[in-house]
Amino acid sequence: MRLWLSDDERRPDPAPARADGRKAVVAGTLGWVVVLVACLVFRGPLESAGLGWFVGAAITGIVIGLIGLAVVQVIRRRADQSSERSAD
């Protein structure tokens, strides 16, 4: 088994796979929504245990998820526009 190939022996790199990052971001954001609901249901015990900050952490996770969803959407639109331009 060889660990190094010369440039003329290498096969061309495969085209990058097209993945939908929106599903992953939405799943993560929904996970934070579930955590927020659980934290609000058990808010009293959490605060008495000194863990009241979990609510803020869940809200922060939701906000970051929404920002991530917007970023992924912008990246996807730009990729779609560039593929349309290259097809013309």
Side-chain angles (χ1 to χ4, degrees):
M1 180 171 106
R2 291 176 31 200
L3 299 176
W4 185 263
L5 296 174
S6 63
D7 287 337
D8 59 339
E9 293 177 314
R10 285 188 66 221
R11 286 186 253 163
D13 293 335
R18 175 133 182 167
D20 190 5
R22 295 178 297 180
K23 293 177 185 175
V25 174
V26 167
T29 305
L30 289 177
W32 281 113
V33 169
V34 169
V35 170
L36 177 63
V37 169
C39 286
L40 292 176
V41 168
F42 299 108
R43 189 172 191 163
L46 283 173
E47 287 183 0
S48 64
L51 301 173
W53 59 270
F54 279 13
V55 174
I59 292 171
T60 303
I62 293 168
V63 169
I64 291 173
L66 293 174
I67 292 169
L69 185 61
V71 168
V72 168
Q73 188 67 24
V74 167
I75 291 170
R76 186 174 178 89
R77 283 186 186 156
R78 287 183 182 170
D80 288 342
Q81 288 174 353
S82 68
S83 67
E84 287 175 2
R85 287 181 192 149
S86 64
D88 290 339

